[in-house]
Amino acid sequence: MALKAACCTNQQHCCTYPQSLKLGYGSRGFGSSFLNFRAHRKWECLVVLSDRAITPVEDEEPLAPGFASPGTVEETEIIQSKGFHRDLQSLPKPLSATDPSSGHRDGSKVRVAYQGIPGAYSEAAALKAYPKCETVPCDQFEAAFKAVELWLVDKAVLPIENTVGGSIHRNYDLLLRHRLHIVGEVQLLVNHCLLGLPGIRKEELKCVVSHPQALEQCNVMLNKLGVARVSSDDTSIAAQIVASGGRRDTGAVASARAAEIYGLSILAQRIQDDPDNITRYLILAREPIIPGTDRPYKTSIVFTLEEGPGVLFKALAVFALREINLTKIESRPQKKRPLRVVDDSNKGSAKYFDYLFYIDFEASMADPRAQFALGHLQEFARFIRVLGCYPMDTDL
């Protein structure tokens, strides 16, 4: 981005203001970029503190080409496909992180990347955010990040947390490794369906395939049927496996859209144990949006703290003092610097985890309260980065 040259020499740090100044916004916004102070006509760095050494956050190092993605699915037996139906061959091939392909683009639609294949819940989230978009499947989360960075797509929609399964930690780590901005969020109500080949009844099933979390979220129904459970990489892949395998005793847990795409019958709907099963997705883009105050906004940041008693309490208090509501806090150990050593003359050395803290709070960066809160936070933080300020999704 053109703004990066305007600030500090350490590009791992974003920008803010001294507390004594009244702030305004420039035309390019904030994000991991900068806050503009019109009154003083200059840019200043977010957490370059006087007389304090800045410790690089090594997790920000970009992924090298050809990296291997750690497995996120337990290693269990997978039903092997014997070749897909001719209609399935027409579906778009997922992009990969090591061999991306832009495919056809006529410029008439917004292209939105998601992880999975057609029929995935992530695709449904992308269509909720951009109903007329062209969805682009990716085989991994990393591939979706890269697709945006390489200008193959305009946006990416990726899951960050689920009310039942919790946080998707891999995407928290990737947010720091890549220089994308959060420009929106999508909340999607999950409706797990039991799918099978046309003409069969659910009582005939002996095996059900799906993502491990989907299987766990439908525990009551699957126990009642007494079926064996087989893991797949994604719910939509499970539907594809059942459609292509042709086995009448095998079903899948997936979306109703997956049933339509792969020609399967819906044997039962809303089979999840918890009816309020909601997944929250982040919308990522190359450029941040200009924050406003016309509707509810949310801001996401990541930071590390100096050592000392009560430092985390003090960091969180900067928001409470300004009546800013925190909606999420997530801690992740730094990957390449996981331990911090503290010398103790009496008992030798003590080691403990060195954490990154991810926080979401309900305030726009156009709100002076948020600006002053971050200015206060820099007194305790060794590193701060604004991941994005974006409108809240209040529609389910």
Side-chain angles (χ1 to χ4, degrees):
M1 292 173 53
L3 289 176
K4 288 185 177 178
C7 189
C8 54
T9 57
N10 187 339
Q11 293 185 2
Q12 292 179 344
H13 296 78
C14 50
C15 297
T16 189
Y17 54 94
Q19 281 185 270
S20 60
L21 299 181
K22 184 176 292 186
L23 308 182
Y25 273 88
S27 60
R28 295 298 295 272
F30 57 100
S32 58
S33 308
F34 313 112
L35 297 178
N36 183 13
F37 313 119
R38 294 175 180 169
H40 293 260
R41 299 183 181 275
K42 65 180 180 179
W43 300 97
E44 296 191 353
C45 292
L46 178 58
V47 283
V48 178
L49 307 184
S50 59
D51 300 324
R52 180 178 297 179
I54 301 298
T55 303
V57 178
E58 298 180 1
D59 299 61
E60 284 198 282
E61 182 178 325
L63 295 176
F67 63 87
S69 173
T72 56
V73 181
E74 60 181 271
E75 297 178 358
T76 55
E77 179 185 0
I78 304 295
I79 296 177
Q80 297 297 324
S81 169
K82 298 180 180 179
F84 298 129
H85 188 276
R86 180 172 56 186
D87 291 341
L88 302 185
Q89 296 283 10
S90 63
L91 295 174
K93 181 181 178 182
L95 302 181
S96 70
T98 56
D99 184 24
S101 175
S102 60
H104 175 72
R105 180 175 187 178
D106 59 10
S108 61
K109 290 184 178 180
V110 174
R111 285 168 59 88
V112 181
Y114 67 94
Q115 188 275 325
I117 64 174
Y121 290 108
S122 292
E123 185 191 34
L127 290 171
K128 179 184 176 183
Y130 302 97
K132 297 182 180 180
C133 73
E134 177 186 349
T135 56
V136 180
C138 299
D139 65 350
Q140 302 168 356
F141 293 133
E142 292 92 336
F145 276 85
K146 282 179 172 285
V148 180
E149 289 178 330
L150 297 175
W151 296 78
L152 303 179
V153 297
D154 303 294
K155 305 283 195 301
V157 174
L158 297 170
I160 198 65
E161 60 180 332
N162 176 266
T163 53
V164 178
S167 298
I168 291 84
H169 295 134
R170 182 60 181 161
N171 282 336
Y172 273 106
D173 295 339
L174 290 172
L175 281 173
L176 195 61
R177 287 176 178 265
H178 294 267
R179 283 289 178 178
L180 299 183
H181 304 269
I182 305 172
V183 297
E185 66 174 1
V186 180
Q187 297 191 91
L188 186 72
L189 184 62
V190 176
N191 174 22
H192 286 314
C193 299
L194 183 62
L195 311 181
L197 295 177
I200 72 166
R201 296 178 298 111
K202 61 184 179 182
E203 290 77 14
E204 298 179 50
L205 298 179
K206 296 180 180 179
C207 176
V208 172
V209 189
S210 195
H211 188 277
Q213 284 195 9
L215 294 173
E216 183 64 27
Q217 291 170 10
C218 303
N219 197 48
V220 173
M221 169 65 82
L222 298 181
N223 283 343
K224 184 177 179 180
L225 293 175
V227 295
R229 308 177 193 189
V230 178
S231 296
S232 66
D233 288 340
D234 191 83
T235 56
S236 52
I237 291 177
Q240 191 182 64
I241 288 172
V242 172
S244 61
R247 294 181 55 176
R248 294 179 58 84
D249 63 350
T250 302
V253 174
S255 67
R257 176 174 167 80
E260 179 183 352
I261 291 174
Y262 301 107
L264 299 177
S265 295
I266 298 177
L267 309 181
Q269 293 198 56
R270 297 179 180 85
I271 65 172
Q272 60 267 21
D273 300 344
D274 188 343
D276 297 324
N277 187 345
I278 300 169
T279 301
R280 177 172 167 253
Y281 296 81
L282 298 179
I283 305 173
L284 304 177
R286 290 178 293 274
E287 299 288 342
I289 62 174
I290 298 176
T293 56
D294 56 323
R295 48 183 166 169
Y297 272 76
K298 184 181 292 184
T299 300
S300 297
I301 65 172
V302 58
F303 59 91
T304 59
L305 295 172
E306 293 287 354
E307 61 185 67
V311 176
L312 180 57
F313 169 80
K314 294 175 183 177
L316 300 181
V318 305
F319 301 99
L321 289 172
R322 294 165 178 86
E323 298 184 345
I324 297 176
N325 183 40
L326 300 183
T327 60
K328 174 75 173 179
I329 179 169
E330 184 78 25
S331 59
R332 299 287 294 149
Q334 292 198 45
K335 296 292 185 181
K336 295 185 179 181
R337 188 175 176 268
L339 295 178
R340 184 184 294 175
V341 179
V342 180
D343 291 328
D344 187 324
S345 58
N346 295 325
K347 298 181 180 180
S349 63
K351 296 182 180 180
Y352 60 93
F353 283 115
D354 199 6
Y355 284 99
L356 291 160
F357 296 97
Y358 294 81
I359 282 182
D360 296 339
F361 59 86
E362 292 182 341
S364 169
M365 286 301 295
D367 185 340
R369 295 181 306 151
Q371 299 172 2
F372 287 121
L374 292 189
H376 194 177
L377 179 60
Q378 74 176 359
E379 297 178 14
F380 319 108
R382 295 183 301 144
F383 160 85
I384 301 176
R385 177 177 160 193
V386 178
L387 298 171
C389 179
Y390 46 93
M392 296 172 56
D393 182 13
T394 57
D395 179 26
L396 274 178

